[in-house]
Amino acid sequence: MNPLKDSARAIAREVNARTASAAEIAEAVIPQAERVDAQLAAFLQLTPELVREHARRVDERVAAGEHLPLAGVPVAIKDNMCLTGTRTTAGSRILENFVAPYTATAVQRLLDAGALPVGKTNLDEFAMGSSGENTAFTPTKNPYDLDRVPGGSSAGSAAAVGGFASTLSFGSDTGGSIREPAAFCNVVGFKPTYGRVSRYGLIAFASSLDQIGPFARSVEDAALAYDVIAGKDPLDATSIDRAVEPAADHLREDLRGVRVGIVKEFALDKLDAQSRACYEAAYADLEKLGAELVEVTLPTADYGLATYYLIAPAECSSNLARFDGVRYGLRVDAPDVNEMYERTREAGFGAEVKRRILIGTYALSSGYYDAYYVKAQKARTRIAEDFARAFERCDVIAAPAASAPAFRFNAKSDPVTMYLMDYYTIPGSLAGLPALSVPCGYAVPEDGTRPMPMGLQLTTPLFAERALLGYAHAYERATLHAEKLTPLTETAAA
Amino acid sequence: MIVEVQQQYEAVIGIECHVELKTISKMFCGCPNEFGGEPNTKVCPVCLAFPGALPVPNAKAIEHMFRAGLAFEATIPPHSKFDRKNYFYPDMPKNYQISQYDMPLTVGGVVRYWMEDGTRRECRLTRIHLEEDTGKSTHVGSADGRLAASTGSLIDFNRAGVPLMECVSEPDIRSADEAVAYLETLARTFRELGVSDVKMEEGSLRCDANVSIRKRGETELGTKAEIKNMNSFRSVRRAIESEIARQIAVVEGGGRVIQETRGWDEAAGVTHSQRSKEQAHDYRYFPDPDLVPIDVTDETIARVRAALPVIPYERYVRYVDEYGIDTKRATQLVEDHALAAWFDRAVAASKNALATVAFVLGDLARLANESGTHVADGKVTPEALAELVALTQSNAINSKAAKQVLETLWSDGGSAKTIVERDGLAQVSDRGAVEAIVDEVLAANANVAADYKAGKTNVLGFLTGAVMKASRGKANPALAQELLKEKLGAG
Amino acid sequence: MPTDRIDIRHVARLARLALTDAEIATFGPQLGSLMTHVDALTALDLSDVPATAQVVPSRNVQRDDAIRPETMLSREAALANAPQAQAGYFRVPRILAEEG
Ligand SMILES: [Mg+2]
Ligand SMILES: [Zn+2]
């Protein structure tokens, strides 16, 4: 086997069968992750000692007769998820030296399932961004073009799997932070229904939107990872107490009888020629697989961005108040506590985080609350209702994951143009719907020559994860787009 | 200030009090809800607000809220939620407090209470909502440990996240005495309900008061000042009295009271301005997205209501109106709910409240004090006391014997009847038997009898005593005297 | 004009951010134009639309009143990340005014 190329499924199968050991996988993945990281800066921290320690445990447990769904599978974890004893920075100066005293529920489930934690991945500070450039540390590069961004906010997690540094990785998606980078990095990125995966131990950005999900090089691997992390957690009051339908063993090969909704408001003529061609081809492929394409309408989709940029900053302004230099993290000394707060937060937060804290504080402040926050919450209701109505006419909605392929560093200096990157992903987030991005070919950016990966976004009703992964699997198996591009990290290695 | 001037004004007072709920664990995490202990030893990622930690509400605390609300005739709305109250303070880990803004767990209601002299009052409740307590700051570097002049503060988060019930009253209170009486009834009731121990010394009840004044007869409200950090009933009385006097002085001096927050300075005995309305906070309340809404069914309300105990006010009213017990002793009983419960059982058996209360707050209380054992934990059962009451009422034993029986019951327990029989304490009311003794006594004291006949009737006491002595205390004293008079030719 | 739509200094004070003049100069217009974008919402008729705080329909999620020692932290662990600790306490600079 080739532990650096094989699927998580294959690795777990061999380790459980003891035809391969977690120890040998560990020794293969550690140098590989170092090599790729040197090129991409995908990790804020590599954890080789943890990889070896867990590999040892996995081999013991398997020897003792246990069957582990992720036995010996290398995983990379976005650095906004706590892991006891490791630095957890959320990509921010304010947490640069914070060592987590506890482990996030989702991460614990991965370790219990036999995964090997390769490292903590880079991200836009506190998951606020769409390019990875908002990290307080070195920005991660796109594995398919080192001059371009990997997308964000789960930049390092997408790049690590796209660049073959890890078999699986985990990110968090608030307005598109898994789906957009997955599209940019030629991997599958899956955001489950809000509340499906516990947020306990995930450093909060916007509590009513944040959701943890996997990156993988195949839908089947994403499903396998989902089956492990999904489910009720008594430590998260918003996690759903509802039986999880395992998906990995219930994937489908065709789309016969499936009604695929194409959103009228998401007209492709807004896109550049190549991106447009790519998505038109993708819709046609869905039809070839037996799907019936139906036009659906989301009249409030255009209000998604405005709604999101009130709700998310409002929640973030309150969630980030705890970073005050009292109990942990950065402190800039001052004669009195109030000045200490102001200097600490001024020095500890980056520009984008400050902007969002300011917007959110403003939107919640007296006199503006009803005009902004309450209005946004009502618009959110309308958006969810629009999706519900659309799903009366279709089983799944197909749309772009991003309006264009990965852009160059510093290409989007104006915040609002950056925010527009999430135009297609935000409405589904506001409705809490499960959605994923699956590779759907490539487009040559208008400002470039090299073909860059593109992602097709599929969205289903609440809790329909199994169906969603099934549709994506059928499309992926029929098209095999991911295999048509090779990341630079591999061509360099070859 | 001259009393006459004070008389022209009346105070209008509303009280907000925070009461720590009695639970095993904290409001949103699995840390123990216990007072004190080594600093920062009852903490977890949730109550320290570590990154990524999330709150999960304590079901018991929510049930306590329903009990408190229903006991005061409040409405329990079908829908409720938690909100975030945002402000920065070092002993508040998240820099927001999880509280309730526009959908509290209980709405309205009324607290019926009584004053020391027995007059009864009512104070309407606006709402009772559920929130979480903060940690504790100790200010260091200043001689008196106070905020001013301190060089820094030390923070202990053991108390952070303890469930806190905030009771907000309507401005129905008119004096410092009423305020204290109102708070005493709140405290008694919460103890009776088991929702809080209300240990003032541990700060488990803390209150703020909104005070304004107006000329008697006026109806619109004056500008109010909010008085903070009064941490004992005594300081509540003193703070409100001094604030009323201050406001009267301001108005009498031609000034106007401004809306502000004033802190009570226990040592100096005055309130001092902390924050004016202009500097008021912008708390930016919004629904806590980490918590889901609370729906309350009629079944839940019915279940909680059915399990409510008799509240102190009802008990007090029964003691005074039905039993005819004086207000002082009625209050004394109600004050101690274990004793009151014991008393109720005794009365149920004796059917004679006044005779029972005489024992319970008399000899029984004395015995309890001497031995340091609570009546309810002693060997005397309510039924045994009822027996004793019956024996004295029927003259089966006299008061001296009753004392003796009670002492035996206290030390050994058992039944009053049996003790009376065993120790032969039954009062002799048999005419013949007593007459025989009377004859003996008269024979032995012929000269005294002569004195009586000569008009020195005051020797009757001596003769009665002699009869009692001769009967070893068992003779019915009334009967003895009656016979003596007869034989001495009462005249 | 969007630029001076928001009193950035006031909002920054509420949020405890000691912004530099340069930041105020750049954030002002940026937030202004974002708020202008956000004004699109005023075009929506949202009268008698209920507000959504949570998209998932769960209610009454509560825990039993029990201590969970496995989730608690030792004092050492609690203070390990503290910028300043003293005698088992977290230490902060002097507090100027009471709050709450
Ligand atoms: Mg309060
Ligand atoms: Zn705790």
Side-chain angles (χ1 to χ4, degrees), chain A residues 220-271:
Chain A
E220 185 182 22
D221 276 5
L224 189 66
Y226 165 77
D227 290 349
V228 167
I229 61 173
K232 173 71 184 166
D233 176 12
L235 297 177
D236 176 0
T238 61
S239 78
I240 299 153
D241 191 2
R242 184 185 174 113
V244 176
E245 300 174 316
D249 297 328
H250 301 80
L251 300 170
R252 51 190 292 168
E253 302 298 332
D254 64 61
L255 296 176
R256 263 185 244 102
V258 178
R259 296 166 305 160
V260 176
I262 305 297
V263 180
K264 180 159 138 286
E265 291 75 9
F266 293 167
L268 298 177
D269 46 30
K270 295 176 193 161
L271 310 185

Side-chain angles (χ1 to χ4, degrees), chain B residues 14 23-24 216 265 307 336 372 395 428 440:
Chain B
T23 54
I24 295 162
R216 290 190 186 279
D265 183 334
D336 177 344
N395 290 323
V428 180
E440 274 171 40

Side-chain angles (χ1 to χ4, degrees), chain A residues 152-239:
Chain A
S153 69
S154 308
S157 288
V161 172
F164 288 84
S166 180
T167 312
L168 293 176
S169 70
F170 294 81
S172 61
D173 188 312
T174 305
S177 285
I178 289 177
R179 291 159 285 168
E180 187 241 25
F184 284 8
C185 294
N186 200 32
V187 297
V188 176
F190 174 35
K191 175 199 103 68
T193 303
Y194 175 83
R196 259 304 192 201
V197 179
S198 170
R199 294 185 295 116
Y200 189 75
L202 168 69
I203 299 177
F205 159 18
S207 313
S208 75
L209 293 155
D210 296 343
Q211 182 59 190
I212 292 174
F215 289 91
R217 288 189 295 266
S218 73
V219 171
E220 185 182 22
D221 276 5
L224 189 66
Y226 165 77
D227 290 349
V228 167
I229 61 173
K232 173 71 184 166
D233 176 12
L235 297 177
D236 176 0
T238 61
S239 78

Side-chain angles (χ1 to χ4, degrees), chain B residues 26 28-32 42-48 160, chain C residues 71-72:
Chain B
K26 290 184 179 181
F28 295 108
C29 65
C31 293
K42 293 161 188 172
V43 292
C44 74
V46 177
C47 54
L48 282 176
Chain C
T71 62
M72 291 174 66

Side-chain angles (χ1 to χ4, degrees), chain B residues 359 384-399 402 405 409 415-421 426-427:
Chain B
F359 275 114
L385 184 72
E387 254 178 48
L388 184 56
V389 169
L391 289 166
T392 49
Q393 293 304 304
S394 65
N395 290 323
I397 59 172
N398 58 41
S399 60
V405 174
L409 282 172
S415 132
K417 272 208 190 64
T418 343
I419 294 167
V420 169
E421 280 153 19
Q427 177 162 264

